[in-house]
Amino acid sequence: MTERAPIYDRVALIGLGLIAGSMAHAMRRGGLAGEIVGTARSAETRDIAREIGLVDRVVDSAAEAVQRADLVVLAVPVGAMEAVAEEIAPHLAPGATVTDVGSVKRAVIDAVAPHIPEGVHFVPAHPLAGTEHSGPRSGFASLFDNRWCLIVPAEGADRAAVDRLKALWQFMGSHTDEMDPDHHDLVLAVTSHAPHLIAYTMVGVADHLRRVTDSEVIKYSAAGFRDFTRIAASDPTMWRDVFLTNKEATLDILGRFTEELFVLQRAIRMGDGDMLHEYFTRTRAIRRGIIEAGQDTDAPDFGRSGGPR
Ligand code: NAP
């Protein structure tokens, strides 16, 4: 990626975890921000960010961070968005854009939009990229490369503000698309939220299974279980908030999941090999489609050993 003129003069990152940290690295890689100011809730995170030089300037409060910023990024758990929006509102610069990276969109919009003052643009977004790691040391510049970032502007949103944010994501390596918030929440319930809940459940089942000792589960961990445990290691606060705020869509998808599970359970009980084979053939085609779309690799470890994922 070649250097170019900054897209924003001053970017304020509220929260300094995986996503904000990766944005800082990606913006620096592309020369996309004149200055990056950051803050986090705890003094510990702010100190680490200062020590590793994650951003140009670390300040002690969100109110201070947003001053004279032309882009403000809310990169905190979904359940913390409203309190942060309320805190920063009186300090936002006229003409600034406020965006967020929350994994759920309707709830974030309902929580944040009422606090956005006249003359400030609110353009919600969600990068479909992440790892099971969190905190100020977990970010890396290539996290968003070739991943999608969904932009969820309100009807009548300022076109120039939306396009400018889109350009930022594109120069950070992402493809962008626009989506309605409710549709976003349903799509993500299928592609991310329900799979995470299933992974949490499967690891919980192994934990409860008294016939298999904990040490056996860990020692003989095979590909299936191992992959579930990677997902189930994701940040508990973030995922608690995702399920509390994307309740309807997640419950809808889990209902469908349960029905499918019963169909497969019955096929196993009845010894219906044809049905199982036909089902797994269809699912394999979906996996191949994901690889062909460049959204994963078919390396045996899904390419994970090659990068800081
Ligand atoms: P993270 O690594 O856990 O970082 C969260 C940051 O938010 C930390 O700096 C934390 O500060 C701060 N924070 C937490 N609670 C706060 C509060 N009540 N008030 C103010 N600041 C608070 O999380 P992340 O993975 O970057 O996730 C951030 C957002 O991105 C979430 O909304 C998540 O849904 C979304 N997202 C995550 C992923 C993913 O895979 N991880 C992918 C796409 C989108 P302290 O360190 O001081 O606690």
Side-chain angles (χ1 to χ4, degrees):
M1 204 152 302
T2 51
E3 287 263 329
R4 43 124 44 241
I7 295 174
Y8 293 97
D9 292 327
R10 180 178 293 174
V11 175
L13 298 175
I14 314 300
L16 290 170
L18 171 72
I19 300 297
S22 297
M23 289 182 74
H25 290 297
M27 285 190 282
R28 281 182 165 170
R29 178 184 69 179
L32 307 175
E35 187 192 20
I36 307 172
V37 184
T39 192
R41 174 181 54 171
S42 68
E44 189 191 349
T45 296
R46 297 195 298 268
D47 285 347
I48 294 171
R50 284 190 187 101
E51 184 195 316
I52 64 176
L54 186 60
V55 294
D56 300 317
R57 200 154 50 86
V58 177
V59 296
D60 289 341
S61 73
E64 196 182 341
V66 304
Q67 282 168 23
R68 290 182 296 284
D70 48 1
L71 179 68
V72 174
V73 183
L74 309 181
V76 298
V78 169
M81 296 278 182
E82 179 160 23
V84 172
E86 201 173 356
E87 181 190 344
I88 62 173
H91 307 279
L92 292 166
T97 292
V98 174
T99 187
D100 76 292
V101 293
S103 305
V104 178
K105 294 277 61 98
R106 173 59 68 194
V108 170
I109 292 169
D110 289 349
V112 172
H115 298 283
I116 302 296
E118 191 82 10
V120 172
H121 311 292
F122 177 39
V123 187
H126 178 202
L128 307 189
T131 74
E132 66 279 24
H133 302 297
S134 54
R137 296 185 196 274
S138 60
F140 53 100
S142 60
L143 178 66
F144 309 116
D145 286 350
N146 202 28
R147 298 282 172 256
W148 284 90
C149 181
L150 298 176
I151 316 275
V152 184
E155 232 177 286
D158 183 86
R159 214 48 245 176
V162 174
D163 289 344
R164 197 167 163 201
L165 184 69
K166 258 191 194 174
L168 178 75
W169 280 106
Q170 288 167 3
F171 281 104
M172 286 196 295
S174 289
H175 309 293
T176 57
D177 219 343
E178 288 186 32
M179 209 179 256
D180 158 85
D182 296 317
H183 190 64
H184 166 279
D185 289 355
L186 183 62
V187 170
L188 266 292
V190 181
T191 58
S192 173
H193 305 167
H196 272 80
L197 199 78
I198 293 160
Y200 281 123
T201 315
M202 194 56 227
V203 176
V205 167
D207 189 38
H208 287 129
L209 200 63
R210 295 298 168 211
R211 278 175 299 157
V212 183
T213 67
D214 282 356
S215 61
E216 276 178 314
V217 168
I218 291 172
K219 185 172 169 189
Y220 302 122
S221 179
F225 184 70
R226 224 170 36 210
D227 290 342
F228 276 132
T229 59
R230 188 186 64 76
I231 296 176
S234 300
D235 186 67
T237 306
M238 169 186 158
W239 286 98
R240 176 202 62 195
D241 288 2
V242 165
F243 294 120
L244 291 180
T245 55
N246 199 17
K247 199 170 168 174
E248 301 303 327
T250 310
L251 291 176
D252 177 11
I253 299 308
L254 286 174
R256 291 163 193 261
F257 172 79
T258 314
E259 285 171 21
E260 290 293 296
L261 196 60
F262 279 132
V263 169
L264 291 182
Q265 203 173 320
R266 185 178 155 76
I268 294 169
R269 191 182 309 287
M270 305 304 281
D272 190 347
D274 288 348
M275 188 272 170
L276 292 173
H277 191 270
E278 192 264 327
Y279 199 100
F280 300 153
T281 304
R282 268 195 290 135
T283 55
R284 185 157 71 170
I286 292 176
R287 170 74 194 162
R288 285 186 177 150
I290 291 171
I291 293 163
E292 276 159 28
Q295 295 304 299
D296 208 341
T297 116
D298 61 358
D301 65 349
F302 303 116
R304 283 185 182 102
S305 58
R309 275 164 170 265

